[in-house]
Amino acid sequence: MEQRSIPEIEREIVEDFALFDSWEDKYEYIIDLGKKLAELADQYKIEENKIKGCQSTVWLKAFYNDGKVHFKADSDAVIVKGLISMLIKVLSGHTPEEILNARMDFIGEIGMMTHLAQTRSNGLLAMIKQMKNYALAYKIMQGTKNE
Amino acid sequence: MVLTDIRQQFPILSRMVKGKPLVYFDNAATSQKPQQVIDALTHYYSFYNANIHRGIHTLAEEATMAYEATREAVRDFVGADATEEIIFTKGTTEAINLVAYTWGRQNITAGDEIIISGMEHHSNIVPWQILCEEKKAFLKVIPVTDEGELSIEAYKELLGSKTKLVAVVHVSNSLGTINHVNEIITAAHLVGAKVLIDGAQSAVHLDIDVQKMDCDFFAFSGHKVYGPTGVGVLYGKRELLEDMPVFQGGGEMIKDVTFEQTTYNDLPYKYEAGTPNIADTIALKTALDFITAVGKDKIRVHEANLLAYATAHLKTIPDLSIIGEAKDKAGLVSFVVKGIHPQDIGVLLDNMGIAVRTGHHCTQPLMKRFGIPGTVRASFAMYNQPEEIDVLITGLHKTIKMLT
Ligand SMILES: Cc1ncc(COP(=O)(O)O)c(C=O)c1O
C-alpha cells in the first residue's frame, strides 16, 4: 500500500470528524483512540521522555529508521492519549522534512482547539512542537551523515 | 434553600458555556463578581480616576478617600485594631512573600526552624523554602492524617526553641479542611514563634477576627472574596510591622529621600511602594460590603447545605472517593474516580458547561501524600444552587460512562 502524505491523512481525519454531530461522539472517538494506542514500553517511560504539564503526564519517544521518524507515546489521561494518537497517526512514518513541513491545521478544523490544545506544557501544540524537534534533530543528523 | 435571588446580581452566571447554562464550581480558584463590584470599577475609571495620596485636586482626594475607605473596611472585616495594620498587596502570594522577604530576612538565622503544614498551597511553601535556603534554616512539615486533618500532636512535637515561625493555611483549597488555627497559634506562641495564617480560602467563608485568633500575620486575596483580581491584604501586628525592614523601594513608601539617605514612611505606606492597584482596591470594599450585607452566617449555612448535599450524592457514585473528610470543612469537595484521570473528567464536564477544577491545585506535596495525581474539585459559593449539584452528578455519571 502506498504511503499517504501528511496532508492526505489530515484531510481524512477532518472528514471523519465531519460525520460526528455531537461533542459526545467526537470525544468517544478520541477516548477510543486513547484506549487503543499502542503501548509505550515501560523502559521509555522515563524522565527524559516526559512532557510534564500541570495536570497529566505525557511520554513521547521517537525512533528513526529508513529515513523515517516513528513516534510512540503514552499518557495517564485517556483524552490526551487519544489526541496524541491522532498526532501519531498523522506524523509517524514520515521523513523529518515532511514532519517539519506539516501544517497540522486539522486540529483547528475538527474543533479540538480548546484549552487542551493550548495548555502551555502538555497541550497538543507543545506535543507537536516536541515531535517537530525530534524531526529537526534527525534532519540535522542526516545532514551530518551525508557530509 | 436560601439565597436563590442572589444569582441575578452576578451577570456572568447567566451566560452559556458550550450551549449550556454555566455551572460554576471553581470558586476556590476565583469567585465571580456581583454587579456592584463591576460597577465600582467602572465608576472609578469613569468619574474619579486619579493617583492617590499626593494630588491636591478633587479627583485625587476622592480617589484617596475611597482607597483608604477600603483599608478601613478591611480592618473591620478581619477585626484588626488599627488601619495601619492593613497593607495592600497584589494578593495572598505577595503578602506571604512580603513577610518572607522582610520579617523573614530580619529574623531567621542559621539553624532556625519554620513550620508549615502538609496541606499548604505552593504560595505558602516556596517563599519559606527560598528563605530557608538563603538563611540555612529548616522547613518542618506538620503531617496530614488520612481524613485530611492536621495532626496536632505531631505539630506540638515539631515545636521547639528553634521554631521561629509557623505558617499554616486556615482552610485547605484542596481538601476543604478548616484547620484549628487557634490551637496552632497558642502553641506556637508558647515557644515564642510567630504565626502567619494563609487566609486565601477562609476569608470568604469564616468570620475572621485576627485579634481573637492572635495571629501575627494574616493574608488573603480580593478575587476570592467576590472582589477584583490584583489586590490582596496582609494584616500584621503593628509592633512587628513597625520593626520590619521595608519590602520594595520607591513611591509612597518614603518620607524623605536624599542621595545619602532615605527615611521611610509610616505604616502602612512603608510597605506600599509605587502606585497601587487603586481601582481594584476601591472595588474590594464594595465586595466586602456585599458579603456583609448578605451575611456571612447565612452564606455559611447555605454553603454547608450545598456541601452536605454534594457529598451525599457523590458518595452514591461507584468507585468515587472523596479526598479530605475532615470533621470541619468549608464548602468544597475534592474527589477521585478509580481508574480515571481527573483531567479527563474535567474536560468532559466542561463540554456540559460545568466548571470544576482538576489537578493538584498547587498543593503537589499534598497530592503526593494521598498518592494521587490530582483531584476533581467542586467548590461552592453563595450563588450556587442544589440544582447545579444535580447537574454535576448527572454529568459525572455520563462522564464516567464515556471514560470506562
Ligand atoms: C490556600 C491558598 N493559598 C494561597 C493562594 C494564592 O492566592 P493568590 O493566587 O490570590 O495569591 C491560594 C489560591 O489558590 C490558596 O487557595
Side-chain angles (χ1 to χ4, degrees):
Chain A
M1 195 179 85
E2 211 202 315
Q3 160 92 58
R4 286 163 310 146
S5 71
I6 290 177
E8 274 167 359
I9 305 171
E10 285 195 49
R11 205 171 317 125
E12 190 185 284
I13 295 178
V14 173
E15 281 163 12
D16 277 353
F17 267 78
L19 300 174
F20 299 136
D21 36 38
S22 68
W23 69 268
E24 286 94 337
D25 292 347
K26 276 188 198 177
Y27 274 93
E28 258 158 17
Y29 175 77
I30 290 168
I31 290 164
D32 201 44
L33 285 179
K35 286 181 183 162
K36 284 193 200 138
L37 182 66
E39 275 196 27
L40 179 69
D42 279 346
Q43 69 189 103
Y44 298 120
K45 288 188 186 170
I46 51 173
E47 207 53 40
E48 200 187 313
N49 296 330
K50 244 187 203 177
I51 307 180
K52 213 169 174 177
C54 208
Q55 300 231 339
S56 54
T57 308
V58 173
W59 293 270
L60 178 69
K61 173 77 184 154
F63 302 88
Y64 188 55
N65 53 51
D66 296 339
K68 307 259 170 78
V69 189
H70 301 269
F71 293 103
K72 287 200 163 201
D74 203 349
S75 170
D76 51 356
V78 73
I79 294 174
V80 171
K81 214 166 143 175
L83 293 169
I84 308 173
S85 166
M86 286 202 296
L87 298 184
I88 292 180
K89 196 163 159 185
V90 172
L91 294 179
S92 208
H94 294 277
T95 65
E97 202 90 63
E98 287 168 330
I99 294 169
L100 285 167
N101 290 332
R103 294 175 45 106
M104 309 300 274
D105 289 339
F106 79 98
I107 295 169
E109 288 167 33
I110 62 177
M112 283 289 140
M113 206 57 186
T114 59
H115 58 280
L116 206 62
Q118 310 209 21
T119 309
R120 222 178 328 145
S121 32
N122 66 352
L124 278 188
L125 296 182
M127 248 126 40
I128 294 171
K129 199 167 152 200
Q130 186 66 18
M131 291 167 115
K132 290 201 172 199
N133 281 344
Y134 272 119
L136 186 63
Y138 290 129
K139 188 183 155 170
I140 293 165
M141 240 168 57
Q142 233 177 11
T144 49
K145 252 189 269 170
N146 292 344
E147 269 166 22
Chain B
M1 208 125 348
V2 288
L3 288 177
T4 32
D5 299 339
I6 215 87
R7 288 181 70 84
Q8 281 113 49
Q9 301 188 43
F10 292 79
I12 206 169
L13 297 179
S14 51
R15 78 161 271 189
M16 308 285 274
V17 169
K18 312 256 162 133
K20 296 169 191 92
L22 166 67
V23 172
Y24 187 77
F25 282 153
D26 196 16
N27 296 287
T30 198
S31 58
Q32 298 303 345
K33 321 304 171 200
Q35 189 64 51
Q36 287 101 303
V37 169
I38 300 165
D39 289 347
L41 289 169
T42 38
H43 186 69
Y44 164 76
Y45 284 120
S46 309
F47 292 101
Y48 60 106
N49 170 46
N51 210 329
I52 52 170
H53 294 311
R54 278 150 288 187
I56 52 143
H57 54 83
T58 305
L59 300 192
E61 192 179 309
E62 285 173 9
T64 304
M65 279 171 57
Y67 184 85
E68 290 305 325
T70 300
R71 204 187 303 275
E72 178 56 32
V74 171
R75 187 204 61 70
D76 192 49
F77 191 76
V78 300
D81 186 34
T83 45
E84 287 82 359
E85 299 179 315
I86 305 301
I87 294 156
F88 290 122
T89 64
K90 278 197 301 185
T92 308
T93 306
E94 194 184 48
I96 296 171
N97 275 280
L98 191 160
V99 177
Y101 279 89
T102 59
W103 182 90
R105 284 226 177 114
Q106 187 183 42
N107 291 284
I108 300 292
T109 52
D112 283 348
E113 293 173 0
I114 293 174
I115 297 178
I116 60 171
S117 89
M119 60 171 82
E120 295 311 312
H121 188 278
H122 297 163
S123 294
N124 199 27
I125 301 175
V126 185
W128 310 119
Q129 275 176 334
I130 295 171
L131 179 67
C132 285
E133 185 155 344
E134 186 182 317
K135 298 291 186 180
K136 309 267 176 289
F138 300 101
L139 203 60
K140 301 266 161 135
V141 182
I142 310 168
V144 176
T145 67
D146 291 343
E147 290 72 38
E149 294 178 340
L150 291 183
S151 164
I152 293 292
E153 302 83 69
Y155 163 62
K156 288 185 177 161
E157 274 168 30
L158 290 177
L159 283 170
S161 59
K162 290 194 177 133
T163 314
K164 291 287 145 59
L165 178 76
V166 176
V168 289
V169 70
H170 200 174
V171 169
S172 160
N173 65 309
S174 300
L175 307 172
T177 310
I178 301 176
N179 287 318
H180 299 161
V181 289
N182 289 354
E183 199 178 349
I184 290 172
I185 295 164
T186 309
H189 285 164
L190 281 177
V191 300
K194 302 292 179 228
V195 184
L196 177 143
I197 300 296
D198 173 351
Q201 296 296 339
S202 65
V204 71
H205 300 291
L206 308 180
D207 290 322
I208 306 299
D209 187 330
V210 292
Q211 293 192 75
K212 251 197 225 145
M213 247 194 265
D214 198 28
C215 57
D216 300 283
F217 300 104
F218 185 90
F220 73 98
S221 300
H223 69 99
K224 295 186 200 271
V225 295
Y226 307 103
T229 54
V231 57
V233 171
L234 173 70
Y235 156 83
K237 280 185 183 162
R238 186 202 282 260
E239 336 59 279
L240 289 169
L241 295 175
E242 297 273 9
D243 286 348
M244 277 153 50
V246 295
F247 182 36
Q248 292 169 339
E252 195 60 35
M253 54 79 71
I254 58 99
K255 203 168 246 170
D256 232 348
V257 176
T258 67
F259 283 118
E260 289 71 40
Q261 204 192 351
T262 294
T263 49
Y264 302 122
N265 206 339
D266 300 325
L267 287 175
Y269 310 112
K270 176 180 163 187
Y271 296 104
E272 293 177 9
T275 299
N277 187 349
I278 304 168
D280 295 297
T281 307
I282 289 173
L284 175 60
K285 176 178 188 297
T286 311
L288 299 182
D289 290 348
F290 177 79
I291 293 176
T292 309
V294 179
K296 263 194 182 172
D297 284 350
K298 205 164 145 191
I299 298 171
R300 229 176 359 251
V301 170
H302 177 74
E303 289 172 352
N305 287 338
L306 291 173
L307 177 67
Y309 188 75
T311 305
H313 282 76
L314 286 170
K315 283 191 165 167
T316 65
I317 298 179
D319 292 332
L320 183 148
S321 348
I322 292 176
I323 305 292
E325 297 196 88
K327 279 189 282 302
D328 294 319
K329 264 179 90 167
L332 76 86
V333 60
S334 253
F335 58 89
V336 291
V337 180
K338 206 165 124 201
I340 300 182
H341 195 282
Q343 179 179 293
D344 289 324
I345 295 177
V347 168
L348 296 183
L349 289 178
D350 174 58
N351 280 285
M352 307 173 205
I354 305 165
V356 292
R357 183 59 149 244
T358 65
H360 54 61
H361 317 296
C362 294
T363 56
Q364 276 181 317
L366 181 67
M367 296 299 117
K368 212 166 167 190
R369 153 73 181 82
F370 283 99
I372 49 177
T375 71
V376 180
R377 178 186 75 187
S379 49
F380 310 121
M382 62 164 92
Y383 40 69
N384 290 124
Q385 294 300 321
E387 295 75 29
E388 293 179 292
I389 292 170
D390 297 339
V391 174
L392 171 69
I393 300 294
T394 310
L396 274 172
H397 279 294
K398 182 168 174 174
T399 296
I400 293 168
K401 197 162 153 238
M402 284 177 75
L403 289 164
T404 46

